[in-house]
Amino acid sequence: MSHPDPYGGTEPRGWDRPERPPALPWPERDVEPTGPWNRQSGADLYAGPQARPRPTARRYDEPALDPYDGPGDPYDRHDVDRYGAYDDGYDRRGPGRPPYDDDMPTSSLPPVRDDDVPTSQFPPVREAAEPERDPQRPPGRRQPGRRRASADRPATGQPTASRAGRNLPAAIGVGLGLGALILIPLFFYLPAFLAVVAGAIGVGIWEMARAVRRSGAHPPLVPLIAGGVLMIGLAWYAGPDALSLGLLVTVLGTMIWRLGDGPGGFQRDLTAATLIAVYVPFLGGFAALLAAAPDDGHLRVLATLVAVVLSDTGGYAAGVSFGKHPMAPSISPKKSWEGFAGSVSAAAVGSAVLLWLLFDVAPWWGALFGVAVSVAAVLGDLGESMIKRDLGVKDMSNLLPGHGGLMDRLDSILFAVPTAYLLLAVFVPLVG
């Protein structure tokens, strides 16, 4: 049984219902407002899709009813304009709206002229000079203090390096600090000087192991540092034979430690570890041998350090003032033969006077001592420069401002102390 239609119809609901529903009794025609915004009556709103006739398409040569649609518009399809409304003669764009143009959508906007924008109130922009790029800085990395530089705020001033490539004030300050760290315990408490030497050797081993990793080698750091400290103690308490024994123990301990990492790269790592063990703790152990000499051990260390400092200072002054002929351009381009002559001369003169005052040694023997120590110091400097150039590093580290790493200061001392130990053992015989 079909139920009656609640919308007013008496027709039964079912398959026999006509396709077009009857018009609803509301809203009434005289109540529903009509106008351009509501052009359909209430009956039309509820009529089916067949109730609203679709306007026929006009030909392109017929006059357009839209005042903004020119004749022959090929894009006018089925009398529907580009805004989705039917072309029935009524302009739905609203009063006061400018016409639209598909080809030039901004043609209705007034052009902007340069005279309309006053620029006299803005200060002129001055272009700053392009700073010179540091050749040692990798490309793509900005210079420090350059990002916010302007005409009113100049770039941050960077400390200028000297001709030798150092920040001279920082280098002098750090050098004086290191000298005080060595001399104060040397003259007042020798066991503290031994601790300073052991600490310096440990830092040097760490810098060397860190640098050789750039070549792919990975020497064990723990046995190297432990063996280096052991070698310093053996040299202090038992002499040069114990120092050689400590070197052997360090190399064997490093080899055993490295076995735990497998066979991959074993020979390469062991070779690097042996080089570090000989270069840093073994050569540095001669400083402990110098200080362990009875009665005048502190004076022997002082004579050696003064000879090295005079060699370095004399070479720096002569190289900056007169250096023209490079000594080893492929290893250290800034070293010159003039600087080498200044190093040897300064060390010879200073050592001749110092050994005569401290040990009552003839001046010519003192001068020979200074020349030998200076040559050894220069060779040590060149040796480390060759290692750094082979590894592709400028400094071993950046622990010391103006100097680089600690090994950059120990390079000449490490070669000088064995030479000084042997010569002083001959010129100034050991007592007791």
Side-chain angles (χ1 to χ4, degrees), residues 275-329:
L275 171 64
I276 295 174
V278 174
Y279 183 43
V280 184
F282 179 75
L283 296 181
F286 284 92
L289 291 176
L290 283 173
D295 297 334
D296 59 354
H298 59 290
L299 297 179
R300 293 171 184 261
V301 175
L302 177 64
T304 304
L305 292 180
V306 169
V308 174
V309 171
L310 288 175
S311 175
D312 193 9
T313 305
Y316 172 78
V320 170
S321 302
F322 311 105
K324 294 182 179 180
H325 301 85
M327 183 178 180

Tab-separated table of all heavy atoms in Angstrom, residues 275-329:
chain	number	residue	atom	x	y	z
A	275	LEU	N	106.266	5.526	13.905
A	275	LEU	CA	106.772	6.856	13.614
A	275	LEU	C	106.464	7.831	14.752
A	275	LEU	O	107.326	8.612	15.171
A	275	LEU	CB	106.153	7.360	12.306
A	275	LEU	CG	106.405	8.827	11.958
A	275	LEU	CD1	107.889	9.081	11.726
A	275	LEU	CD2	105.587	9.240	10.738
A	276	ILE	N	105.242	7.774	15.258
A	276	ILE	CA	104.863	8.687	16.347
A	276	ILE	C	105.670	8.374	17.611
A	276	ILE	O	106.121	9.284	18.315
A	276	ILE	CB	103.357	8.581	16.608
A	276	ILE	CG1	102.569	9.075	15.390
A	276	ILE	CG2	102.960	9.373	17.837
A	276	ILE	CD1	101.067	8.866	15.504
A	277	ALA	N	105.855	7.095	17.916
A	277	ALA	CA	106.584	6.719	19.128
A	277	ALA	C	108.037	7.179	19.088
A	277	ALA	O	108.602	7.592	20.112
A	277	ALA	CB	106.507	5.202	19.330
A	278	VAL	N	108.660	7.117	17.921
A	278	VAL	CA	110.056	7.549	17.807
A	278	VAL	C	110.148	9.073	17.754
A	278	VAL	O	111.021	9.678	18.399
A	278	VAL	CB	110.707	6.909	16.565
A	278	VAL	CG1	112.111	7.464	16.342
A	278	VAL	CG2	110.766	5.393	16.711
A	279	TYR	N	109.244	9.683	17.015
A	279	TYR	CA	109.342	11.123	16.769
A	279	TYR	C	109.015	11.954	18.013
A	279	TYR	O	109.695	12.942	18.301
A	279	TYR	CB	108.403	11.489	15.621
A	279	TYR	CG	108.453	12.934	15.209
A	279	TYR	CD1	109.659	13.603	15.079
A	279	TYR	CD2	107.291	13.628	14.938
A	279	TYR	CE1	109.704	14.931	14.700
A	279	TYR	CE2	107.325	14.954	14.545
A	279	TYR	CZ	108.529	15.603	14.434
A	279	TYR	OH	108.581	16.914	14.067
A	280	VAL	N	108.005	11.560	18.769
A	280	VAL	CA	107.560	12.418	19.881
A	280	VAL	C	108.125	11.952	21.223
A	280	VAL	O	108.952	12.659	21.829
A	280	VAL	CB	106.021	12.506	19.905
A	280	VAL	CG1	105.570	13.472	21.006
A	280	VAL	CG2	105.492	12.970	18.562
A	281	PRO	N	107.758	10.790	21.762
A	281	PRO	CA	108.238	10.497	23.125
A	281	PRO	C	109.712	10.108	23.211
A	281	PRO	O	110.372	10.433	24.201
A	281	PRO	CB	107.325	9.346	23.576
A	281	PRO	CG	106.899	8.693	22.328
A	281	PRO	CD	106.835	9.756	21.280
A	282	PHE	N	110.233	9.415	22.187
A	282	PHE	CA	111.642	9.014	22.284
A	282	PHE	C	112.562	10.225	22.216
A	282	PHE	O	113.469	10.379	23.046
A	282	PHE	CB	111.971	8.022	21.178
A	282	PHE	CG	113.404	7.578	21.184
A	282	PHE	CD1	113.857	6.671	22.135
A	282	PHE	CD2	114.301	8.055	20.244
A	282	PHE	CE1	115.190	6.267	22.160
A	282	PHE	CE2	115.626	7.647	20.252
A	282	PHE	CZ	116.071	6.748	21.211
A	283	LEU	N	112.340	11.108	21.228
A	283	LEU	CA	113.176	12.307	21.152
A	283	LEU	C	112.907	13.236	22.329
A	283	LEU	O	113.830	13.883	22.841
A	283	LEU	CB	112.929	13.031	19.828
A	283	LEU	CG	113.316	12.275	18.553
A	283	LEU	CD1	113.037	13.133	17.318
A	283	LEU	CD2	114.778	11.858	18.588
A	284	GLY	N	111.655	13.325	22.762
A	284	GLY	CA	111.370	14.172	23.907
A	284	GLY	C	111.942	13.639	25.199
A	284	GLY	O	112.128	14.400	26.161
A	285	GLY	N	112.200	12.350	25.263
A	285	GLY	CA	112.796	11.788	26.479
A	285	GLY	C	114.176	12.333	26.768
A	285	GLY	O	114.623	12.296	27.931
A	286	PHE	N	114.883	12.873	25.756
A	286	PHE	CA	116.211	13.443	26.013
A	286	PHE	C	116.115	14.732	26.824
A	286	PHE	O	117.107	15.124	27.460
A	286	PHE	CB	116.930	13.700	24.692
A	286	PHE	CG	117.472	12.446	24.062
A	286	PHE	CD1	116.720	11.726	23.151
A	286	PHE	CD2	118.745	11.986	24.369
A	286	PHE	CE1	117.212	10.577	22.567
A	286	PHE	CE2	119.250	10.832	23.794
A	286	PHE	CZ	118.479	10.113	22.892
A	287	ALA	N	114.974	15.381	26.817
A	287	ALA	CA	114.799	16.530	27.701
A	287	ALA	C	114.810	16.075	29.157
A	287	ALA	O	115.366	16.753	30.037
A	287	ALA	CB	113.493	17.245	27.376
A	288	ALA	N	114.197	14.913	29.433
A	288	ALA	CA	114.263	14.370	30.787
A	288	ALA	C	115.680	13.940	31.142
A	288	ALA	O	116.117	14.076	32.300
A	288	ALA	CB	113.303	13.191	30.911
A	289	LEU	N	116.420	13.433	30.168
A	289	LEU	CA	117.813	13.069	30.427
A	289	LEU	C	118.651	14.302	30.750
A	289	LEU	O	119.529	14.251	31.634
A	289	LEU	CB	118.393	12.339	29.216
A	289	LEU	CG	117.835	10.948	28.920
A	289	LEU	CD1	118.449	10.396	27.628
A	289	LEU	CD2	118.091	10.003	30.089
A	290	LEU	N	118.427	15.403	30.050
A	290	LEU	CA	119.149	16.640	30.359
A	290	LEU	C	118.831	17.128	31.765
A	290	LEU	O	119.724	17.525	32.531
A	290	LEU	CB	118.793	17.716	29.336
A	290	LEU	CG	119.436	17.628	27.956
A	290	LEU	CD1	118.842	18.673	27.024
A	290	LEU	CD2	120.953	17.820	28.058
A	291	ALA	N	117.545	17.125	32.118
A	291	ALA	CA	117.162	17.632	33.431
A	291	ALA	C	117.598	16.701	34.551
A	291	ALA	O	117.743	17.151	35.711
A	291	ALA	CB	115.652	17.827	33.483
A	292	ALA	N	117.792	15.402	34.259
A	292	ALA	CA	118.172	14.446	35.300
A	292	ALA	C	119.649	14.498	35.641
A	292	ALA	O	120.077	13.802	36.567
A	292	ALA	CB	117.796	13.029	34.853
A	293	ALA	N	120.439	15.298	34.920
A	293	ALA	CA	121.867	15.400	35.231
A	293	ALA	C	122.034	16.008	36.627
A	293	ALA	O	121.402	17.018	36.950
A	293	ALA	CB	122.583	16.253	34.189
A	294	PRO	N	122.879	15.433	37.469
A	294	PRO	CA	123.028	15.946	38.828
A	294	PRO	C	123.696	17.327	38.829
A	294	PRO	O	124.560	17.623	38.012
A	294	PRO	CB	123.903	14.899	39.526
A	294	PRO	CG	124.600	14.176	38.421
A	294	PRO	CD	123.700	14.237	37.236
A	295	ASP	N	123.227	18.155	39.736
A	295	ASP	CA	123.779	19.475	40.045
A	295	ASP	C	123.462	20.540	38.984
A	295	ASP	O	123.154	21.675	39.333
A	295	ASP	CB	125.302	19.417	40.247
A	295	ASP	CG	125.677	18.546	41.437
A	295	ASP	OD1	124.835	18.405	42.359
A	295	ASP	OD2	126.780	17.986	41.427
A	296	ASP	N	123.582	20.227	37.721
A	296	ASP	CA	123.418	21.272	36.700
A	296	ASP	C	122.423	20.876	35.604
A	296	ASP	O	122.509	21.357	34.475
A	296	ASP	CB	124.768	21.612	36.067
A	296	ASP	CG	125.436	20.402	35.413
A	296	ASP	OD1	124.903	19.279	35.559
A	296	ASP	OD2	126.472	20.579	34.756
A	297	GLY	N	121.491	19.973	35.922
A	297	GLY	CA	120.519	19.545	34.916
A	297	GLY	C	119.645	20.699	34.441
A	297	GLY	O	119.349	20.819	33.232
A	298	HIS	N	119.230	21.580	35.350
A	298	HIS	CA	118.397	22.712	34.947
A	298	HIS	C	119.157	23.676	34.052
A	298	HIS	O	118.593	24.299	33.153
A	298	HIS	CB	117.869	23.429	36.189
A	298	HIS	CG	118.937	23.941	37.098
A	298	HIS	ND1	119.747	23.111	37.855
A	298	HIS	CD2	119.362	25.207	37.363
A	298	HIS	CE1	120.606	23.823	38.556
A	298	HIS	NE2	120.388	25.102	38.272
A	299	LEU	N	120.507	23.807	34.283
A	299	LEU	CA	121.304	24.688	33.443
A	299	LEU	C	121.478	24.104	32.038
A	299	LEU	O	121.515	24.844	31.044
A	299	LEU	CB	122.664	24.937	34.088
A	299	LEU	CG	122.631	25.652	35.450
A	299	LEU	CD1	124.041	25.828	35.995
A	299	LEU	CD2	121.931	27.000	35.331
A	300	ARG	N	121.574	22.812	31.923
A	300	ARG	CA	121.690	22.173	30.609
A	300	ARG	C	120.401	22.377	29.795
A	300	ARG	O	120.467	22.652	28.590
A	300	ARG	CB	121.977	20.677	30.773
A	300	ARG	CG	123.338	20.378	31.380
A	300	ARG	CD	123.484	18.900	31.724
A	300	ARG	NE	124.749	18.638	32.389
A	300	ARG	CZ	125.855	18.158	31.780
A	300	ARG	NH1	125.819	17.870	30.485
A	300	ARG	NH2	126.965	17.947	32.455
A	301	VAL	N	119.269	22.207	30.472
A	301	VAL	CA	118.004	22.452	29.777
A	301	VAL	C	117.909	23.920	29.364
A	301	VAL	O	117.469	24.234	28.239
A	301	VAL	CB	116.823	22.049	30.679
A	301	VAL	CG1	115.502	22.409	30.010
A	301	VAL	CG2	116.877	20.558	30.983
A	302	LEU	N	118.345	24.818	30.244
A	302	LEU	CA	118.272	26.241	29.923
A	302	LEU	C	119.152	26.584	28.723
A	302	LEU	O	118.728	27.334	27.821
A	302	LEU	CB	118.698	27.060	31.138
A	302	LEU	CG	118.741	28.570	30.946
A	302	LEU	CD1	117.349	29.128	30.653
A	302	LEU	CD2	119.354	29.254	32.172
A	303	ALA	N	120.375	26.061	28.668
A	303	ALA	CA	121.268	26.337	27.543
A	303	ALA	C	120.672	25.820	26.235
A	303	ALA	O	120.765	26.483	25.180
A	303	ALA	CB	122.641	25.707	27.800
A	304	THR	N	120.046	24.662	26.278
A	304	THR	CA	119.441	24.111	25.063
A	304	THR	C	118.271	24.965	24.595
A	304	THR	O	118.147	25.271	23.390
A	304	THR	CB	118.980	22.672	25.313
A	304	THR	OG1	120.090	21.898	25.783
A	304	THR	CG2	118.430	22.056	24.051
A	305	LEU	N	117.392	25.346	25.523
A	305	LEU	CA	116.230	26.153	25.141
A	305	LEU	C	116.644	27.524	24.632
A	305	LEU	O	116.058	28.034	23.666
A	305	LEU	CB	115.295	26.297	26.347
A	305	LEU	CG	114.590	25.013	26.814
A	305	LEU	CD1	113.705	25.300	28.021
A	305	LEU	CD2	113.769	24.414	25.687
A	306	VAL	N	117.657	28.135	25.245
A	306	VAL	CA	118.110	29.451	24.775
A	306	VAL	C	118.687	29.342	23.365
A	306	VAL	O	118.446	30.212	22.509
A	306	VAL	CB	119.149	30.017	25.764
A	306	VAL	CG1	119.845	31.251	25.169
A	306	VAL	CG2	118.473	30.403	27.072
A	307	ALA	N	119.438	28.279	23.084
A	307	ALA	CA	119.995	28.104	21.739
A	307	ALA	C	118.878	27.943	20.708
A	307	ALA	O	118.939	28.517	19.601
A	307	ALA	CB	120.938	26.905	21.716
A	308	VAL	N	117.832	27.203	21.059
A	308	VAL	CA	116.719	27.020	20.124
A	308	VAL	C	115.970	28.326	19.918
A	308	VAL	O	115.600	28.689	18.782
A	308	VAL	CB	115.775	25.907	20.637
A	308	VAL	CG1	114.536	25.815	19.753
A	308	VAL	CG2	116.501	24.571	20.668
A	309	VAL	N	115.732	29.069	21.000
A	309	VAL	CA	115.008	30.340	20.876
A	309	VAL	C	115.824	31.338	20.064
A	309	VAL	O	115.271	32.063	19.209
A	309	VAL	CB	114.677	30.886	22.281
A	309	VAL	CG1	114.135	32.307	22.183
A	309	VAL	CG2	113.667	29.989	22.973
A	310	LEU	N	117.142	31.395	20.282
A	310	LEU	CA	117.984	32.297	19.497
A	310	LEU	C	117.985	31.900	18.024
A	310	LEU	O	117.967	32.766	17.134
A	310	LEU	CB	119.411	32.287	20.047
A	310	LEU	CG	119.618	32.983	21.392
A	310	LEU	CD1	121.053	32.791	21.871
A	310	LEU	CD2	119.293	34.469	21.274
A	311	SER	N	118.003	30.620	17.758
A	311	SER	CA	117.968	30.165	16.368
A	311	SER	C	116.661	30.558	15.697
A	311	SER	O	116.658	31.065	14.557
A	311	SER	CB	118.164	28.655	16.322
A	311	SER	OG	118.018	28.160	15.008
A	312	ASP	N	115.564	30.357	16.393
A	312	ASP	CA	114.263	30.693	15.818
A	312	ASP	C	114.121	32.197	15.627
A	312	ASP	O	113.662	32.668	14.577
A	312	ASP	CB	113.153	30.163	16.723
A	312	ASP	CG	111.786	30.194	16.043
A	312	ASP	OD1	111.725	30.463	14.828
A	312	ASP	OD2	110.774	29.921	16.716
A	313	THR	N	114.546	32.973	16.638
A	313	THR	CA	114.403	34.431	16.541
A	313	THR	C	115.327	35.012	15.483
A	313	THR	O	114.924	35.879	14.689
A	313	THR	CB	114.694	35.066	17.909
A	313	THR	OG1	113.849	34.478	18.901
A	313	THR	CG2	114.454	36.554	17.873
A	314	GLY	N	116.570	34.543	15.452
A	314	GLY	CA	117.501	35.058	14.444
A	314	GLY	C	117.081	34.701	13.029
A	314	GLY	O	117.181	35.520	12.106
A	315	GLY	N	116.576	33.489	12.848
A	315	GLY	CA	116.096	33.113	11.522
A	315	GLY	C	114.876	33.912	11.103
A	315	GLY	O	114.743	34.286	9.926
A	316	TYR	N	113.986	34.200	12.058
A	316	TYR	CA	112.802	34.985	11.729
A	316	TYR	C	113.184	36.412	11.326
A	316	TYR	O	112.712	36.929	10.308
A	316	TYR	CB	111.858	35.006	12.931
A	316	TYR	CG	110.695	35.940	12.769
A	316	TYR	CD1	109.600	35.585	11.986
A	316	TYR	CD2	110.687	37.183	13.401
A	316	TYR	CE1	108.533	36.443	11.842
A	316	TYR	CE2	109.616	38.044	13.257
A	316	TYR	CZ	108.541	37.672	12.479
A	316	TYR	OH	107.495	38.522	12.333
A	317	ALA	N	114.068	37.031	12.117
A	317	ALA	CA	114.450	38.417	11.823
A	317	ALA	C	115.206	38.505	10.497
A	317	ALA	O	114.936	39.394	9.670
A	317	ALA	CB	115.297	38.970	12.969
A	318	ALA	N	116.134	37.611	10.264
A	318	ALA	CA	116.911	37.660	9.019
A	318	ALA	C	116.041	37.302	7.816
A	318	ALA	O	116.183	37.892	6.733
A	318	ALA	CB	118.114	36.720	9.112
A	319	GLY	N	115.141	36.343	7.980
A	319	GLY	CA	114.286	35.965	6.857
A	319	GLY	C	113.326	37.068	6.466
A	319	GLY	O	113.084	37.290	5.275
A	320	VAL	N	112.763	37.767	7.452
A	320	VAL	CA	111.847	38.857	7.142
A	320	VAL	C	112.588	40.037	6.511
A	320	VAL	O	112.080	40.692	5.589
A	320	VAL	CB	111.099	39.281	8.419
A	320	VAL	CG1	110.327	40.573	8.200
A	320	VAL	CG2	110.140	38.188	8.865
A	321	SER	N	113.794	40.303	6.986
A	321	SER	CA	114.528	41.483	6.509
A	321	SER	C	115.274	41.229	5.209
A	321	SER	O	115.302	42.100	4.325
A	321	SER	CB	115.516	41.938	7.596
A	321	SER	OG	114.835	42.222	8.807
A	322	PHE	N	115.898	40.073	5.068
A	322	PHE	CA	116.780	39.846	3.917
A	322	PHE	C	116.437	38.605	3.110
A	322	PHE	O	117.161	38.271	2.164
A	322	PHE	CB	118.244	39.728	4.393
A	322	PHE	CG	118.670	40.825	5.324
A	322	PHE	CD1	118.800	40.585	6.679
A	322	PHE	CD2	118.933	42.097	4.846
A	322	PHE	CE1	119.194	41.587	7.548
A	322	PHE	CE2	119.326	43.110	5.705
A	322	PHE	CZ	119.448	42.858	7.061
A	323	GLY	N	115.389	37.872	3.486
A	323	GLY	CA	115.111	36.604	2.820
A	323	GLY	C	114.693	36.767	1.369
A	323	GLY	O	113.652	37.373	1.074
A	324	LYS	N	115.474	36.245	0.446
A	324	LYS	CA	115.178	36.289	-0.990
A	324	LYS	C	115.363	34.942	-1.672
A	324	LYS	O	114.763	34.692	-2.714
A	324	LYS	CB	116.070	37.323	-1.682
A	324	LYS	CG	115.797	38.768	-1.253
A	324	LYS	CD	116.685	39.740	-2.009
A	324	LYS	CE	116.403	41.186	-1.597
A	324	LYS	NZ	117.271	42.151	-2.317
A	325	HIS	N	116.237	34.104	-1.135
A	325	HIS	CA	116.528	32.822	-1.768
A	325	HIS	C	115.904	31.701	-0.943
A	325	HIS	O	116.342	31.443	0.189
A	325	HIS	CB	118.043	32.603	-1.879
A	325	HIS	CG	118.734	33.678	-2.667
A	325	HIS	ND1	119.143	34.877	-2.105
A	325	HIS	CD2	119.087	33.735	-3.972
A	325	HIS	CE1	119.726	35.630	-3.024
A	325	HIS	NE2	119.698	34.944	-4.177
A	326	PRO	N	114.865	31.047	-1.449
A	326	PRO	CA	114.216	29.984	-0.671
A	326	PRO	C	115.151	28.814	-0.438
A	326	PRO	O	115.923	28.405	-1.309
A	326	PRO	CB	113.012	29.599	-1.527
A	326	PRO	CG	113.357	30.062	-2.909
A	326	PRO	CD	114.233	31.252	-2.759
A	327	MET	N	115.033	28.275	0.758
A	327	MET	CA	115.905	27.172	1.162
A	327	MET	C	115.346	25.837	0.696
A	327	MET	O	116.082	25.004	0.151
A	327	MET	CB	116.058	27.194	2.684
A	327	MET	CG	117.003	26.152	3.239
A	327	MET	SD	117.150	26.306	5.035
A	327	MET	CE	118.307	24.979	5.365
A	328	ALA	N	114.084	25.611	0.926
A	328	ALA	CA	113.417	24.371	0.505
A	328	ALA	C	112.011	24.741	0.074
A	328	ALA	O	111.057	24.580	0.844
A	328	ALA	CB	113.401	23.348	1.633
A	329	PRO	N	111.855	25.259	-1.141
A	329	PRO	CA	110.536	25.763	-1.551
A	329	PRO	C	109.461	24.690	-1.620
A	329	PRO	O	108.286	24.979	-1.430
A	329	PRO	CB	110.798	26.385	-2.922
A	329	PRO	CG	112.048	25.722	-3.423
A	329	PRO	CD	112.861	25.431	-2.202
